[in-house]
């Protein structure tokens, strides 16, 4: 009996769209959690990951990356490939499709409605040999007339035999579909259990990794402590040797000085005697001369001292004798040992001091106290903690979790929520849940300016005439030299390091200024080296890259602000501005004068050019997740290029954006774009695919929260946003 022809239906957009790049799937691969992504998207995630694993962007399940760094070993998603082939037939009729068996593409192929797959002719012969496939309904692509009829299951081949179809009543069809659905649900249940087991195993793997890392850190701290102690003992012994040496040399130096003085006097007497004798040979020896010579000889006899050499007991020797017991103890006992114990921590006894509020994109904190079965605070170095905020869509919306261990049973968990709304918090210690918590409301962000970092405004801009004039402030006292050192006169580029130190290029003062998070001046550097500095960025090692717009160079400084080298000597760049680094340390820089973005190696060699002919005024650039985002000021657009081959992927902007300037990515994975439009100077928040989320800032002005030419933007580790408020001569921090 023939099976009913399934109603395939045209594939829906979401069924064939990669959730990562929002484009039609290319080479779809299936993760263990059953979610599907393009191979290129997976490889980009693997490339940007600092560890040997990636997270599924949908469910956050972690997947290990192969040693080759490619995710190509993941299984192909046959279902998605089939949908893509159906779409290809719909759009191109007889275009090539992929055979389910050999994975080759053919223009001449057949479709089996029972297998729900495409087959090439060679593999179809093998398919038809099997007895269970004899009643399968198969059509060659060239036999298909109207594609819509194929989708409805009512097509008749243009040529060739067809199987006899048996009609079914709608009731029978419903019963069959219900039966299939029931069986499908039953088949899915083991998959859910397997997925759950995989999740547990991955959590256990993370626990093992955490404890391994903790032990390594403790061993290193112990060794460093021993080294410090040995160095202190070394300094003490060396100091003792030096003191003994000084004491032993004092009488010797004294005796040496006395003898040198006596020797000097004797040499003088002898020289005088020799001179008198020499004169006597020509003039004769006079009685008076003889008397003088006798007196000189008497003086020589008085200088003679039989005890002039002090006696030193050279048989008494002071030498260093090493402590053999220490070496024997280290050899036999070592610096410590590994012990296997069971943690005394009981999850159901642990207490949590919860935060009052939590806000999207900003760091929040909780305190966890580990306790034993008696409820007493206890400390077990291997305890492992996790925090999740589960949304209504069953997603964990926590990013960048950090745990501070105070080594006394008290822990601080810092985290940043990605989404607003009610979430169910889950805290686990060693895989066991700590108590139960009511749903938590994550507040939406307000983007309020909390402070301005500045010493004082010395110039303002008259918007109507676009000229600058000095502000008359008679009451302001004369600036001291120290105050002038702290004053920003044209802040242009801004970036931060992992210590929340803020680095800003002071274009008019030709220097880089460093502030802490609260705005306290720390230092400045680059004097007489930088010339009209614009873009600035910092790599993972704290090395600072500065773009010199004045001489087209890129300079490198260490974390202390000391000059290291000139990365690029300026022979190929023209009026460069924004700069960004990829995870491998390669450099992207906006070559504004040449209307392109240059891709440079870490040593400054230009590897390729991006956007040539497609950019009008590249102002800033950002390397993120295998893509390069460029703010093209004069085209009023953000343009997105492939970091791999430099091809343009898409572009976006909104009418109210105006001229896009600085770029950054916040802690929730949104793109920040500072922009200017007439009297509105703002920062826009987009999704990475260009959908506008919100904006902040406002009308042009100098009040707190208002902006005047926001040239760049950066993000602190706690999620707060630093905006370079250029023509207000300050930085502003938004929470």
């Amino acid at each position: 009996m023939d099976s009913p022809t399934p109603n395939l239906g045209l594939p829906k957009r979401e069924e064939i769209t990669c959730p990562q790049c929002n484009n039609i799937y290319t080479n779809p691969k299936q993760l263990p959690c059953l979610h599907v992504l393009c191979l290129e998207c997976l490889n980009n995630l693997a490339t940007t990951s600092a560890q040997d694993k990636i997270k599924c962007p949908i469910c956050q399940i972690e997947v290990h990356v192969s040693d080759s760094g490619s995710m190509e070993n993941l299984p192909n998603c046959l279902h998605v490939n089939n949908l893509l082939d159906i779409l290809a037939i719909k759009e191109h009729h007889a275009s090539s499709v992929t055979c389910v068996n050999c994975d080759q593409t053919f223009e001449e192929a057949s479709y089996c409605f029972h297998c729900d797959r495409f087959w090439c002719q060679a593999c179809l012969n093998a398919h038809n040999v099997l007895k269970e496939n004899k009643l399968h309904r198969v059509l060659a692509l060239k036999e298909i007339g109207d594609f819509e009829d194929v989708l409805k299951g009512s097509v008749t081949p243009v040529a060739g035999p067809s199987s006899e179809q048996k009609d079914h009543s709608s009731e029978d069809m419903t019963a069959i579909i219900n039966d299939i659905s029931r069986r499908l649900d039953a088949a899915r249940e083991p998959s859910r259990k397997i997925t759950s087991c995989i999740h547990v195993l991955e959590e256990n793997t993370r626990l093992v990794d955490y404890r391994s890392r903790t032990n390594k850190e403790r061993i290193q701290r112990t060794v460093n402590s021993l080294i410090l102690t040995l160095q202190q003992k070394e300094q003490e012994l060396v100091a003792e040797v030096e003191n003994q040496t000084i004491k032993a040399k004092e009488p010797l130096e004294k005796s040496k000085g006395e003898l040198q003085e006596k020797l000097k006097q004797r040499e003088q007497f002898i020289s005088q005697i020799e001179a008198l004798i020499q004169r006597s040979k020509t003039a004769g020896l006079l009685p008076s001369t003889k008397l003088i010579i006798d007196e000189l000889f008497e003086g020589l006899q008085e200088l003679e001292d039989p005890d002039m050499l002090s006696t030193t007991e050279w048989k008494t020797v002071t030498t260093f004798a090493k402590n053999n017991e220490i070496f024997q103890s280290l050899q036999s006992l070592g610096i410590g040992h590994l012990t296997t114990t069971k943690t005394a921590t009981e999850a159901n006894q642990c207490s949590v001091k919860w935060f009052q509020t939590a806000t999207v994109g900003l760091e929040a904190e909780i305190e966890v106290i580990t306790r034993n079965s008696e409820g007493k605070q206890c400390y077990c170095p291997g305890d492992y903690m996790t925090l999740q905020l589960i949304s209504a869509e069953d997603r964990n919306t926590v990013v960048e979790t950090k745990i501070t261990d105070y080594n006394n049973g008290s822990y601080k968990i810092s985290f940043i929520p990605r989404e607003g709304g009610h979430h169910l918090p889950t805290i686990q210690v060693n895989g066991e849940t700590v108590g139960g918590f009511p749903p938590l409301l994550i507040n939406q962000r307000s983007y309020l300016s909390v402070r301005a970092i500045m010493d004082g405004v010395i110039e303002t801009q008259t918007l109507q005439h676009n000229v600058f004039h000095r502000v008359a402030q008679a009451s302001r006292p004369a600036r001291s030299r120290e105050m002038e050192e702290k004053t920003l006169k044209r802040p242009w580029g801004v970036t931060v390091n992992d210590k929340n130190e803020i680095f800003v290029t002071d274009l008019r003062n030709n220097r880089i200024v460093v502030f802490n998070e609260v705005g306290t001046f720390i230092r400045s550097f680059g004097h007489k080296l930088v010339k009209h500095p614009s873009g600035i960025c910092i790599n993972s090692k704290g090395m600072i890259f500065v773009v010199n717009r004045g001489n087209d160079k890129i300079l490198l400084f260490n974390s202390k602000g000391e000059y290291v080298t000139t990365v690029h000597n300026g022979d190929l760049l023209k009026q460069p501005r924004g700069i960004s680094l990829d995870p491998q340390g390669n450099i992207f820089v906006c070559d504004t004068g040449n209307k392109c973005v240059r891709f440079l190696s870490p040593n400054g060699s230009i590897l390729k050019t991006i956007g040539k002919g497609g950019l009008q005024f590249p102002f800033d650039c950002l390397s993120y997740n295998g893509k390069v985002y460029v703010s093209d000021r004069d085209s009023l657009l953000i343009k997105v290029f492939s970091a791999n081959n430099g091809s343009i992927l898409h572009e976006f902007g909104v009418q109210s954006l105006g001229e896009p300037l600085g770029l950054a990515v916040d802690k929730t994975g949104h793109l920040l774009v500072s922009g200017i439009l007439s009297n509105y100077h703002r920062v826009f928040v987009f999704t990475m695919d260009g959908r506008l989320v919100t904006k902040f800032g406002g009308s042009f002005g100098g009040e707190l929260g208002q902006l005047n030419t926001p040239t760049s933007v950066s993000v602190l580790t706690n999620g707060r946003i630093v905006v370079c408020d250029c023509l207000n001569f300050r930085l502003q921090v938004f929470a």
Side-chain angles (χ1 to χ4, degrees), residues 243-394:
N243 289 333
Q244 289 187 2
T245 301
I246 291 172
K247 290 180 180 179
K249 287 170 65 176
E250 279 180 355
L252 298 177
E253 293 293 338
K254 182 178 179 182
S255 297
K256 177 183 174 181
E258 293 174 351
L259 289 175
Q260 286 177 335
E261 182 63 28
K262 290 181 180 180
L263 177 62
K264 180 179 178 181
Q265 293 178 11
R266 290 183 65 84
E267 292 296 331
Q268 289 176 349
F269 287 164
I270 292 172
S271 296
Q272 292 176 13
I273 293 172
E274 289 176 342
L276 291 172
I277 293 174
Q278 190 66 30
R279 285 198 299 268
S280 299
K281 287 180 180 180
T282 57
L285 183 63
L286 299 174
S288 60
T289 302
K290 176 66 169 57
L291 181 61
I292 293 172
I293 291 174
D294 291 340
E295 290 178 352
L296 291 173
F297 274 113
E298 290 178 1
L300 285 172
Q301 292 176 353
E302 291 176 358
L303 291 176
E304 292 178 356
D305 185 1
D307 299 326
M308 64 182 176
L309 292 177
S310 60
T311 58
T312 303
E313 183 55 63
W314 294 106
K315 291 186 178 181
T316 302
V317 183
T318 302
T319 60
F320 170 72
K322 70 177 182 180
N323 188 344
N324 289 315
E325 293 182 0
I326 292 179
F327 291 92
Q328 294 173 0
S329 175
L330 283 174
Q331 292 295 329
S332 60
L333 300 178
I335 62 171
H337 59 280
L338 298 175
T339 60
T340 302
T341 58
K342 186 176 181 180
T343 177
T345 300
E346 294 289 341
N348 57 5
Q349 295 289 340
C350 295
S351 58
V352 177
K353 185 178 180 181
W354 204 257
F355 44 80
Q356 297 298 318
T357 59
T359 303
V360 174
L362 293 177
E363 188 177 63
E365 297 176 354
I366 63 171
E367 182 185 27
V368 177
I369 304 296
T370 52
R371 303 182 185 277
N372 58 22
S373 58
E374 298 177 354
K376 296 180 179 179
Q377 183 170 333
C378 66
Y379 177 61
C380 298
D383 284 344
Y384 175 63
M385 298 187 182
T386 60
L387 167 68
Q388 291 185 331
L389 292 177
I390 306 301
S391 68
E393 291 77 20
D394 199 29

Side-chain angles (χ1 to χ4, degrees), residues 168-176:
H168 292 275
S169 65
S170 59
E171 292 82 0
D172 292 339
M173 181 63 71
T174 301
I176 292 172

Side-chain angles (χ1 to χ4, degrees), residues 292-511:
I292 293 172
I293 291 174
D294 291 340
E295 290 178 352
L296 291 173
F297 274 113
E298 290 178 1
L300 285 172
Q301 292 176 353
E302 291 176 358
L303 291 176
E304 292 178 356
D305 185 1
D307 299 326
M308 64 182 176
L309 292 177
S310 60
T311 58
T312 303
E313 183 55 63
W314 294 106
K315 291 186 178 181
T316 302
V317 183
T318 302
T319 60
F320 170 72
K322 70 177 182 180
N323 188 344
N324 289 315
E325 293 182 0
I326 292 179
F327 291 92
Q328 294 173 0
S329 175
L330 283 174
Q331 292 295 329
S332 60
L333 300 178
I335 62 171
H337 59 280
L338 298 175
T339 60
T340 302
T341 58
K342 186 176 181 180
T343 177
T345 300
E346 294 289 341
N348 57 5
Q349 295 289 340
C350 295
S351 58
V352 177
K353 185 178 180 181
W354 204 257
F355 44 80
Q356 297 298 318
T357 59
T359 303
V360 174
L362 293 177
E363 188 177 63
E365 297 176 354
I366 63 171
E367 182 185 27
V368 177
I369 304 296
T370 52
R371 303 182 185 277
N372 58 22
S373 58
E374 298 177 354
K376 296 180 179 179
Q377 183 170 333
C378 66
Y379 177 61
C380 298
D383 284 344
Y384 175 63
M385 298 187 182
T386 60
L387 167 68
Q388 291 185 331
L389 292 177
I390 306 301
S391 68
E393 291 77 20
D394 199 29
R395 293 194 306 267
N396 177 27
T397 63
V398 169
V399 293
E400 294 200 13
T401 302
K402 294 183 295 184
I403 299 177
T404 303
D405 183 355
Y406 293 107
N407 300 318
N408 60 2
S410 175
Y411 299 82
K412 181 178 73 175
I413 303 181
S414 305
F415 65 96
I416 296 177
R418 184 190 297 124
E419 297 178 6
H422 286 89
H423 291 69
L424 185 64
T426 302
I427 301 172
Q428 290 188 329
V429 177
N430 302 324
E432 297 180 353
T433 302
V434 178
F437 303 99
L440 176 71
L441 177 62
I442 306 297
N443 298 317
Q444 294 295 341
R445 192 165 183 173
S446 58
Y447 296 99
L448 295 177
S449 179
V450 294
R451 69 176 57 90
I453 299 175
M454 57 185 294
D455 175 61
V457 179
I458 60 172
E459 292 177 338
T460 62
Q461 185 184 40
T462 302
L463 188 65
Q464 291 81 358
H465 304 289
N466 197 30
V467 297
F468 297 96
H469 65 88
R470 301 238 171 220
V471 177
Q473 288 185 311
S475 61
R476 176 188 293 165
R479 277 187 172 84
S480 65
R481 186 172 182 178
E482 180 183 2
M483 187 174 294
E484 286 289 346
E485 171 71 11
K486 300 176 184 179
T487 301
L488 298 174
K489 293 187 179 178
R490 188 65 69 84
W492 197 98
V494 65
T495 189
V496 302
N497 63 12
D498 55 7
K499 298 178 182 178
N500 268 358
E501 292 177 333
I502 303 171
F503 295 73
V504 56
T505 55
D506 195 359
L507 186 142
R508 179 168 293 181
N509 280 326
N510 292 316
R511 61 175 182 167

